[in-house]
Amino acid sequence: MAAAHTSSRDVDWSSLLDDLLGMIRSRVASPRGRVRFTADCRSWRAAASQHIVTPALPLLVLSLDAWGKRKDLYCHDEGRVFHVPLPSKLHKTRFCGTYDGGWIAAITRPSTLGIVNLFSSVEVVLSTKQRDMAWQGRNGRQLIRRIIFSEAPTSSGCILAALSTDHDKVALCRVGCPGGGWTIHGCDREEFCDIVFHHGELYGLTRRSEKLFKFDIGVNQDGAPVVTAAHPLDVQSCGVPITGSYIYFTTYIFGLHGKLAMAMMTRWFQNHNPFFKVFELAVTTDDAHDYEWKEVCTLGDCALFLGQT
C-alpha cells in the first residue's frame, strides 16, 4: 500500500498555532531571519508582535555610503558577511540612522531624506517639508551627521531627531505631521556629539566633555515637535584626565540595563593608547550634585557596538 506524501508546498503554514509560532520566533536569532519571519504572512507577523524575545545582535553596516547597488552587512549570529541588494530608493545615498527591523534613514544629494526598509523595500511616506534637510549653517550648507527615532517609523507618533555638522543645533520632525517639517533648536556655547531617546525623553551629550542635557519637547502651531528648553543636568565628573588634546576623545550616549549610559574613549593614562570606559548615570548620595557618572565594569548580557557619529 502506497503511503500518502504531502509536499511542503501543500502545508498551510499560516494556520500554525500561536504558541508554536512563538517557539519558532524565539529560535530565530539573526535580524535578517526575524524580518523574514514577520514578512511571511499576517498570522506570523501578529505572533512576532505578541511574543517578546531577546533582542538580536544588530547587523553591522560596513560602509555608510551606498554608491553601488548592494551593501555589505556583517551578521554576528551567523558569523559572515551578507551582500544585500539595496532597494532602488537607497541607491547613491548616505546612511544616517537605523531602527530595529531593517529601517534606514538615508540622505541623497543634495540633502533629501528617505526612510526605507532595507529588506522589504517599504518606504515611509514623508512630505516635501519632511524630506528637505538642506539647512544653512554657520559655514554654508550643513550636513546631517545622525538621525535617531523615538519609536518605529511606521508609527505616526515617531519623532525624528537629527544632529548636523553645526554641532550646537538639534532638529526635530514628527512622521505623522507632514505639514510641520523640521524645527531647529540651537544651544549657545554648547556643541553636541551624540543624542538619544531614553524612556521617551531626548538627551544630548556635549562634545569634548561629559555635560548632559535633557530636552523638553512641545509642539508649535503646525503640530510639529519643537524643543522648548534644554536643561543641563547636575552631574559629577567621572574624572576625565586632562591631556591637552582632543584628538583621542570620543563620547557616545545610549541606554544600558534601563539606565542612561555613556561610553568615553580618551587617553586615560599617560604614555598609553586611548581606550573606552563605560559609565552609567546614577543618583548621588551626597549634596554636591544630583547625579554622577558611575563606571560600569561589566556589560552583563549586553553587547556594545560603537561607530561613527
Side-chain angles (χ1 to χ4, degrees), residues 36-215:
R36 288 182 170 181
F37 183 97
T38 58
D40 186 84
C41 62
R42 182 176 299 175
S43 62
W44 286 44
R45 188 160 49 251
S49 63
Q50 295 171 6
H51 295 274
I52 306 300
V53 296
T54 302
L57 291 176
L59 292 170
L60 299 185
V61 181
L62 301 184
S63 173
L64 296 180
D65 292 326
W67 303 120
K69 295 184 178 181
R70 72 177 190 180
K71 177 69 71 175
D72 291 338
L73 306 178
Y74 179 74
C75 179
H76 285 267
D77 293 296
E78 301 184 29
R80 63 193 182 103
V81 174
F82 290 99
H83 308 295
V84 180
L86 290 175
S88 59
K89 294 175 181 178
L90 289 179
H91 291 177
K92 297 182 178 180
T93 62
R94 180 170 54 86
F95 291 5
C96 294
T98 62
Y99 191 83
D100 190 30
W103 292 103
I104 302 292
I107 300 292
T108 61
R109 292 181 177 176
S111 295
T112 303
L113 171 66
I115 302 175
V116 182
N117 192 286
L118 183 62
F119 304 110
S120 67
S121 301
V122 173
E123 183 176 15
V124 174
V125 177
L126 299 175
S127 67
T128 301
K129 283 186 176 181
Q130 293 171 318
R131 293 173 61 85
D132 182 15
M133 303 189 76
W135 311 322
Q136 293 299 315
R138 290 172 295 184
N139 299 314
R141 178 172 292 175
Q142 302 180 56
L143 297 178
I144 305 305
R145 296 171 48 239
R146 189 180 183 198
I147 295 175
I148 62 173
F149 302 76
S150 66
E151 55 187 291
T154 51
S155 169
S156 62
C158 174
I159 295 177
L160 308 175
L163 278 180
S164 71
T165 48
D166 268 2
H167 297 273
D168 60 342
K169 293 182 174 61
V170 176
L172 300 179
C173 175
R174 185 165 64 87
V175 172
C177 184
W182 289 86
T183 61
I184 302 175
H185 177 78
C187 290
D188 294 336
R189 298 181 299 278
E190 298 293 350
E191 296 184 350
F192 295 97
C193 67
D194 203 5
I195 52 176
V196 67
F197 281 108
H198 182 68
H199 294 322
E201 304 285 353
L202 180 62
Y203 294 87
L205 192 65
T206 57
R207 289 184 75 206
R208 300 172 180 173
S209 73
E210 50 191 290
K211 292 182 181 179
L212 182 64
F213 282 75
K214 179 182 177 182
F215 298 97

